[in-house]
Amino acid sequence: GALVRSFVAATDGSPWNGEAGYDSAQKVWEFKKGDQSGLGLQSPLFREGNDNATLFAVEAKTEKVVGLLRFEDDSPENLTIRLSDIIFAPSFEQSAHQVEAVFLTFSKIFALGYRRISCSCDDGDVEGKKRAERLGFTFEGTALKSELIEVGQDALVSRNICTFAILNSDWNTGGARNHLFKKLYGAAAS
């Protein structure tokens, strides 16, 4: 649809919305799964199932998609869900748009009674780890050799996965909600 096409335009490395072109494989897709060479619309990122959803962040002024939040492993019976991807156009990474998208989405998830939102990233994904901590997630641990990834025609490499989570108690009384609220509105607003 139009949102997916707009998102592809925001993250494919072409000049967009006043920014210069960039290497999308390095800046946006380095640690992501799916079609990293052209982000074809058949990418697993955009295939919906019963336990996942992609939410697009749209800038109010331009009405252009500037990022997305991708959730998977929705388990209403256990009141848990996993944030699998946060992808924003480079000029919106670490922006108020990103923080607000996370804040509003997490607020809704916890208001629905969920107890846990988790996320994970490759142990080598320094930016992914920083993002998780910046958004209020708590580091839980590293699963060593938890996945095999293909690096060549005949080569497989072990992948270590770091896991982070925000619990409903972290959100409601533990400071995670206030942490994001202060990032959006300043210390005086809380």
Side-chain angles (χ1 to χ4, degrees):
L3 288 175
V4 172
R5 283 192 299 278
S6 179
F7 176 71
V8 169
T11 59
D12 71 356
S14 302
W16 175 84
N17 205 28
E19 31 176 89
Y22 56 90
D23 179 358
S24 65
Q26 181 194 20
K27 285 196 101 168
V28 179
W29 299 105
E30 185 173 7
F31 287 98
K32 307 294 182 230
K33 295 178 182 175
D35 178 9
Q36 299 174 4
S37 60
L39 187 66
L41 299 184
Q42 298 305 310
S43 166
L45 188 63
F46 300 110
R47 286 192 204 127
E48 298 301 327
N50 292 334
D51 69 344
N52 59 48
T54 302
L55 307 176
F56 293 91
V58 178
E59 185 183 34
K61 288 181 193 172
T62 63
E63 296 185 358
K64 291 186 177 185
V65 174
V66 297
L68 66 76
L69 302 174
R70 173 85 174 149
F71 291 90
E72 295 180 346
D73 303 330
D74 180 17
S75 178
E77 62 276 5
N78 293 308
L79 299 172
T80 63
I81 194 166
R82 182 172 60 88
L83 175 64
S84 60
D85 285 296
I86 298 180
I87 306 169
F88 276 71
S91 61
F92 289 91
E93 183 69 33
Q94 298 185 39
S95 70
H97 296 81
Q98 184 184 64
V99 174
E100 184 176 40
V102 170
F103 179 80
L104 294 173
T105 305
F106 287 11
S107 293
K108 182 65 172 178
I109 290 169
F110 286 121
L112 291 170
Y114 277 68
R115 301 176 317 127
R116 174 186 172 86
I117 301 171
S118 64
C119 71
S120 58
C121 65
D122 187 276
D123 188 40
D125 185 357
V126 175
E127 289 304 314
K129 291 192 273 190
K130 285 181 186 177
R131 180 184 305 116
E133 291 174 355
R134 189 172 58 249
L135 296 175
F137 284 89
T138 300
F139 176 70
E140 292 187 325
T142 303
L144 302 176
K145 297 184 178 183
S146 64
E147 292 182 8
L148 285 174
I149 57 171
E150 204 171 314
V151 293
Q153 192 167 353
D154 297 322
L156 293 174
V157 173
S158 291
R159 184 175 178 189
N160 302 330
I161 301 296
C162 295
T163 301
F164 300 82
I166 296 178
L167 305 179
N168 57 346
S169 55
D170 297 337
W171 188 255
N172 297 327
T173 59
R177 182 187 182 283
N178 286 340
H179 170 75
L180 291 179
F181 192 85
K182 285 178 186 176
K183 281 182 172 274
L184 281 173
Y185 304 110
S190 58

